[in-house]
Amino acid sequence: MSSGSPIRVLPTPPRVVVPLRQHIGAPPEPVAGPKTLVSFGQKLGECRAFVSAPVHSPLSGTVERHTTLTLPTGIRTVAVPVSASGDNLSGRALLDEILGGDWDYERIKDVDPDEIAARVQDAGIVGLGGATFPTHVKLISAREKGVELLIVNGCECEPYLTADHRMMLEAARAVLCGALLAARACGGAGIAVAVEDNKLDAVRALEREAAGTGIRVVTVKTKYPMGGERELVPAVTGRLIPSGGLPLDVGVVVINVGTAAAIARAVLRGGALTHRVVTVTGAVHQPGNLLAPIGAACRDLLDFCGGIKPDAARIVAGGPMMGFALADLDTPLTKGTSGLVVLRREDVEREAETECIRCARCVDVCPTGLVPTKIALAARNELWDRAEKLHASDCIECGCCAYVCPARIPLVQLIKVAKARLAEIRRTAAERP
Amino acid sequence: MNNAPGKENTPLAQAPTLSVGPSPHMVSRDLSTRRMMADVIIALLPVIVVSFYIFRWFAIYHLLLAVITCVSVEALSMRLLRRPPTIQDGSAVVTGLIFALSLPGTAPWYVNLIGAAAGIFLGKVVFGGLGQNIFNPAMVGRAFVMIAFPAAMGASGYVSQSTGVDILTSATPLTALKQMGQGTSLMHLLMGDTNGSLGETSALACLVGGFYLCARGTASWRIPAGVLLAVTIISSAAYLIHPTPHWTPLHHLSAGALLLGAFFIATDPVTSPVTRKGRWTFGIGIGTLVMLIRYLSGYPEGVMFSVLLMNSAAPLVDRLTVPLPLGGSPGKRKP
Amino acid sequence: MTDDATPLERFLRGIIPENPVYRQLLGLCPTLAVTNNMKAAMTMSGAVLFVLLGANLVVSLIRGLLKPHLRILVFTLTIATFVTIADRFLAAFMYPMSKELGPYVPLIIVNCIIICRCEVCASRQSPAVAIADASGQSLGFALALASIATVREILGSGTWWGIRILPAGWDNWVIMVLPAGAFLTMGLLLGIANWLGTIRSETKGY
Amino acid sequence: MKLRYISEAWLVLLLATGFALALAAVDLAWKTRIEENKRRETIGQIPHLVPGAVRGQKEFVGKVYVYRAFDSAGRQVGWVLPAVGQGFADRIELLIDLDSEAEYITGLYVLEQKETPGLGANIIAAQWRKQFTGKPATLPLHVSQAAIGENEIQAVTGATISSESVVSIVNEAVAGFRRALEGWER
Amino acid sequence: MDLLVTLLLIAVGAALINNFVLHYFVGLCPFMGVSRRLDTATGMGFAVTFVISVASFLSWTLTYFVLRPGAPLTTWLLHREVDLSILNYIVYIFVIASSVQFVEMYVRRFFPNLHRSFGVYLPLITTNCAILFACLEIMKHVSGVEDPARVWGLPQALTLAFFAGIGFTIAIVIMAGIREQLDVADVPRALQGAGIAFVVAGILAMAFTGFTGVDRGLEKILKPAPSRHAASPSARIHSRGGEQ
Ligand SMILES: Cc1cc2nc3c(=O)[nH]c(=O)nc-3n(C[C@H](O)[C@H](O)[C@H](O)COP(=O)(O)O)c2cc1C
Ligand SMILES: Cc1cc2nc3c(=O)[nH]c(=O)nc-3n(C[C@H](O)[C@H](O)[C@H](O)COP(=O)(O)O)c2cc1C
Ligand SMILES: Cc1cc2nc3c(=O)[nH]c(=O)nc-3n(C[C@H](O)[C@H](O)[C@H](O)COP(=O)(O)O)c2cc1C
Ligand SMILES: Cc1cc2nc3c(=O)[nH]c(=O)nc-3n(C[C@H](O)[C@H](O)[C@H](O)CO)c2cc1C
Ligand code: SF4
Ligand code: SF4
Ligand code: SF4
Ligand code: SF4
Ligand code: FES
C-alpha cells in the first residue's frame, strides 16, 4: 500500500517526548535537566552499563520536566520532553543529512574497527528491526567470537510495512556503507543483503550500488516471518541456529537495513540515532513512509498522513502480527517502532473463541516447529513442566499460529505467558542451586 | 504536564472507536470450525449420492435418523451439563453422517438410534464435548452397536441396480473373500454396486470427496497417505508371497471401508495427532492394523477397530513426536 | 477414622457413605468380572461376606496379641484360608456357579476391601464392631454389585435373576455382558453416584 | 534372638495349625463331592452321549487320551474323545463321541466355551450339535451355509467362525485319534 | 517349531486378545490408580511384568512338582499320590509376597537406577490381583489336567506371564497417555477421575475386540491344517475296523 510512496519528512513537531528506555538492557540515566537548552543530537540520557544505549535529542530546544510513561510494549520509563526551538533542520535538508548525500566507500578502509563500535555505542544505535538490542554489543561480541558473515536483513518484518523497502531503494548506498562498516567492526566478515523476492526493485538498486564491494545481494522467499533471524539465517546460509542460541553461534550476525544506515551515519558523519523511517499505513488518508524524529507523538505522524479514517478501530505500533496496540495517540515514536498500522473494524473483529479442534494448522504454520496448541493448553492449565517439554521458550512470538487458528484461540498470548513463567522458574532455580 | 503521554494521563484519547488487544491484530478468515465441518459435508456429498443411488430408502432413512439423533443427544446433554449449546458448530451433524454411512442399510432403526446416541454421549459428551474427545465419536457408536448387536450389523442386503428393486442377500466383498475365498471385480468396487455399509461401497466417490478435503486443507493429507501406503506395502508383500489373482492389492485398497475410513474417519482432527510425524505414524498405524485384522482376525474388516486403537495411541504418538524446535537439539538449551 | 462408632453406625456406614465400590473404589476387579448377571454377582457377594466376616472376626479376636510386623502375614493367612473354604464350598455345592466365577473367587484373597477392613477396623475394634463392620461393608459391596449387575443383565440378556423381564422382541445388547459393557456401566454409574453425591451435599449446604 | 522369633511367632504358628486343620477337614469332607462334580462333567456324561453306555473309563490310545464307553454288559460301545481348540473368542473344549469302530461321530458335547452370547454361544444348542450325529469320522467335515453333503455342517447363523472352529477341532482330534488307533495294540 | 507356534499364540493371546486388564479385569487398582502420568505408568508396567514373571516361575515350579495331584516330588517323598491342591491359594499368595520382597531386594542391590525408577511400585503389587490371576491361569493348565499332553511346561507358563505383563504395560501406558490429555480437557465434574477412566477403559476394550481371532488366524497360517485329508487313509482304517 505504501511501498510506492517515497520517504517524506515529517515537519518538525513543536514538541517531542523522548523515552529514555527504548531498548533491551539497562535504562540510561537522564543527563539534561529541565529547562536546559539542548541541540540537535545532544545526549538526553547516558548510560554506564555495557548493554545499554544513550538517547539523543532529535531537536534543538528546551527540555521540560521529565515524566514517566508506559510504552505500548509495557515498559515503564522516564521520558524527556523537549520543545522545539525555531532553528531545526527540516525537509530535504534533514533527509540529506540523515540518509542522502554522498556516501564514500573509500573512507571506510581508514576507520579503525574499535572506533566503529565506539561510535555506534555513542550514537545510541540499537536494532531497528524491532528487537532494539544495542548494536555495539552485537558487533563487539561478533568480533570476539569471530563471524564469517554479516547479513543485512532487508526483509520487511511484517505485512504492510514498507520502511525498509523504501530505505533500500532510496538510501541503498547508506545501507551498504553501514554494512561495510559493521562487517569491519566484526573483524572482516563477508556481507550478504537478504531481500525478499517481491522487492526486485530494491534488489536492483542494491546490486547497482554493491558493484565492486564484494557484497552479495541474496533474494529469499517472501513468507512471513522470513525476517526473523531463526528463519533468515538458515535461508541464507543453510545453517540452523540451535535452540536457545543466537546467530552468533553459527558464525553469523544479522542487522536490519535501518540499523546499517544508522551505523553509516554515525561513523562517517558523526550523527546520533535521532530519526527513523516509519511506515504509516492502513486506514489513514495518505499512507506513506515518513522520516520522523524519535519521540514524536504518533498523533503527529497520523495527522501528517491525513488523519485516520472513520472506520479505524485499532492503531498498532509495529506490524499487525507482532506489534502493540496503542492505547493513546500521544504515545511517542521509539527507536523500535517500524510502523504505525491503522486497522479497520473488520480487520480486528473476530468470532468468539471456540474449543481447539486440534486441526494442527498452528503446528503446520509455526516457523519454529513448535506445537502451539499443546503449549497453549499446558499454559491454560498451568502445567509448566509440560510447556517446557514442548519447547515453549523457543517461540519467537511471530503470531502465525494465532493468525491461522480456526477456533480463534489466543495462542501467542498463552504461549507468552508460558514463556514468562518458564523464564521465571529458570531464574529462581538458578538463584537456588 | 497535562498532555504528557501515558496511559495514566490520557486514556484512549481519541475515539471510542479505538480498541486495544493482543497481537496478532489480524486473523486469517478463510477457515473457522464451522467452515471445516461444512467442508466435510460437502466432501461427503458424492458418497451420500452414491449411497442414495444404491441403497435408496435405506440410505435416506439412516442418514436422517442418525443426524437427528446425534444433534438432539448433543443438544440435550449440553443442557443437562449446563453448558452453552454447541450444535451450531456442525460437528454433531458430521458425526451423524459418518455414523450412518458406516451402517449396513439393513440395520434396524434401534441400532441406528442407540449407536448414534452412544457415539455422541460416550464418544464425545463425557469427555467434555467438541475437541476434547479421545476417540472418534462415530466409530465409538459403531463399535458399540457392532458389539451389542453383531447379528444385526451384518450387511445383508441392498437394492441391486442390475435387477431392479429387490433386496438381495449377498455377502459383502470382504466377507465373501474371507469366508468363501471369492473375489469381486474392481469395477464393482470402484462404482459401488456391491453390498456393504452405506458409505463404503464406492471407492470412486470416497476418492473424489477425499481429494477435495485434502485439497482444502481441512483434512491432513498425511493421514490418508500413511494409511494407503501401509495397506499397499503390506498387501503387496502378501501378494508376492501368496498370489491371489482374484484379490490384488488394488482390491484391498478399494474394498471395504478403507477409503471412507482413510479420508473421512482417520482424518478427524480431534482424535488424530497434531504433529507431522505423528500424523504419518497414525496413518501407517491404521493401515497396518487394518491389514492385520483383515488377514488374521475373526472380522472381515478392521477400519473401525484400527481407528479406535490408533485414537487411543494418539496422545502417546503426539508426545513422542514433539518436533524439535528449528535448530534445536535436546539438551542444548541454554540455562 | 474416628473410632468409637457403635456397631450399628458401623454397619450403616458401609452401605452408602463408605460404600466400598462407589466411594472407596475398592475391590474393582470382581465388581466388573462377575456382574454380567445377578446370580453370579450375588454369589460373589456371599463369598465376600463369608470371607470378610471370618477374617474380621478372627483378626478382631486376636487383635490384642498381634505384633505389628506380623500383622499383614496373619491377615493374609486368615483371608487365604477362608477363601479356600469358600472356593471349595462352591465347587462342592454350586458347581456350575463355581465354574462361572472361575478365578474370581480365589482373587478375593487380594481383594482390597478385605485387607482394608482388617487393617482399619478389625485389628482395632471388638468382635461385635468388627462383625457389624464386615456386614455393612459386604452389604454395601452387594448393593454395588447388584446395581451394576441389574443394568448389565437387563440390557444384556433381557432378564433379571434369570427371569425374563423385557419383551421377547427385545434385542439383547450383547456388549453389556462383555468386558466393554462392564467398564462403561461402571463408569457411568460412578458418574451418577458422584452426581447424586454432589446434589446431596449441595442441598445439605443450603 | 531365635527365642524371640519363636515367642513372637507363636501366634502365627498356632493360627497356621488351626487353619491347616480346618482346611484338612474341608478337604476331607468335600473332596469326593468335588471330584464327583468334575467326573460328572466328563465321564459322567458318557451315558448321555453314547447310546447304550453306562460307564466310561480313561484310556491312552498311543499318546491320545480318550474315554472308552462300555455298556452294562461290559462291551465297548464307543469312544469319547476330549478335544480343545481356539474358537472365535476363547478356547472351546469339546467331547466328541465316536462309535466303537471310530467310523462315525455319534455325538458332540461342548464342555467349555466363551463365544459371544446369542451368536457363537449357540454352538451349545442341542439343535446345532445334533448335526454331527451320524457324520462319518473318516472324512474331514466342512462348514457350509446350507448343509447338503454327507460331510457338511451348517453354520450357526451369524457365527460362521465359531462353527468352523468347532468343525476344525473335531477334524483334527478325530484324525489324530484314528492315526493313533491305527498303530495301537490293545 | 510347534512349541514356538504355541508360545506365539499364548503370547498374542495374553498381550492383546485376552488382555489382563481389558478382558479379565485384573490389575485394575494399579491400572486406575497409577495411570495418571506416563512415566509412573511405564514404571508400574515394567514392575508388574517383572514380578509376574518371577512369581509365575515360582508358582509353576511349586504347582508342577509339589502341589498338583500326582506331583513328582510329593509322590517320591510319600510313595503315593497326594493332592495338596487345597493349599494352592495360600502358597500362591506367599509366593507373590515373597517374590515382591525378593525382587525388591535384588533390584535395589544390583540395579539401583532401576530401583529408583520403579522400586516404589513394587510393594503396591503384592495385593495386585493380576499376579495372582496369572498364577491361577497357570494352575489351570498344570493342576488337575488329565491329558498329560496338555499340561503346561515352564516355557508356556513363563510366556503367558511375561506377555500378560506386556499386555498390562501396553494398556496402562495407553491409558496414561489418554489421561494426560484428559488433564487439559473439560470433562464433566461427576465423571472426572475414575468415572471417565472407566469409560475410556470400556472404549479401549471395544477397540481391543478387534484382535479377537488373531491367534486363530496366526495358527492357520503357521500350522497349515494338520492333514485333515491325508492323515487317516480311510481305506486302512476300514480294513482294521473289523478287527476291533
Ligand atoms: C517474527 C519476527 C520477524 C522479524 N522480521 C524482521 C524483518 O522483517 N526485518 C528485520 O529487519 N528484522 C526482523 N526481525 C528481527 C530480526 O530477527 C533481527 O532481530 C533483526 O534483523 C536484527 O537486526 P537489528 O538488530 O538491526 O534489528 C524479526 C523478528 C521476528 C521474531
Ligand atoms: C467406517 C467403517 C468402518 C468399519 N469398520 C469395520 C471393522 O472394524 N470391522 C468390521 O468387521 N467391519 C467394519 N466395517 C463394516 C465392513 O466394512 C462390512 O460392512 C463388513 O464386512 C460386513 O461384514 P459382516 O456382515 O460379515 O460382519 C466398517 C464399515 C465402515 C463403513
Ligand atoms: C461382538 C461380535 C461378536 C461376534 N461373535 C461371534 C461369534 O461368537 N462367533 C462367530 O463365529 N462370529 C462372531 N462374530 C463375527 C461376525 O458376526 C461375522 O460377521 C460372522 O462370523 C459372519 O458369519 P455369517 O456369515 O454367518 O454371518 C461376532 C461379531 C461381533 C461384532
Ligand atoms: C476432516 C474431518 C473429519 C471428521 N471425521 C469425523 C468422524 O470420522 N467421526 C466423527 O464423529 N466426527 C468427525 N468429524 C467431526 C468432528 O471433528 C468430531 O465430531 C469431533 O471428534 C468431535 O469432538 C470430522 C471433522 C473433520 C473436520
Ligand atoms: S490452529 Fe487452533 S484449532 Fe487448530 S490445532 Fe491449533 S489451536 Fe487448535
Ligand atoms: S508465535 Fe506461534 S507460530 Fe510463532 S513461533 Fe511462537 S508458537 Fe510458533
Ligand atoms: S487393596 Fe491394594 S490393589 Fe486394591 S486398592 Fe487397595 S492398595 Fe490398591
Ligand atoms: S476404613 Fe478404609 S475405607 Fe474406611 S475410611 Fe478408612 S481407609 Fe477409607
Ligand atoms: S481388585 Fe484387582 S487389582 Fe485390585
Side-chain angles (χ1 to χ4, degrees), chain B residues 146 171-184 244 246-247 252 255 289-303 305, chain D residues 88 143 145 160-161 164, chain E residues 209-218 220-221:
Chain B
M146 174 141 174
T172 67
L174 282 171
T175 310
L177 173 75
K178 191 146 201 162
Q179 289 176 5
M180 291 153 250
Q182 290 168 358
T184 307
T244 41
H246 61 287
W247 202 268
H252 261 305
L289 285 170
V290 167
M291 293 317 290
L292 180 86
I293 292 175
R294 281 188 181 177
Y295 281 131
L296 295 179
S297 90
Y299 295 95
E301 170 67 302
V303 173
F305 294 120
Chain D
F88 176 80
V143 172
Q145 298 300 323
T160 314
I161 295 164
E164 275 185 344
Chain E
T209 322
F211 292 119
T212 350
V214 167
D215 46 358
R216 216 176 149 268
L218 275 175
K220 252 190 189 164
I221 291 182

Side-chain angles (χ1 to χ4, degrees), chain A residues 127-129 138 153 155-157 225 227-229 254-256 259 322 398:
Chain A
L128 298 185
K138 221 188 227 185
N153 188 346
C155 300
E156 205 59 75
C157 323
E229 336 184 288
V254 182
I255 63 169
N256 169 261
T259 316
M322 296 183 66
C398 66

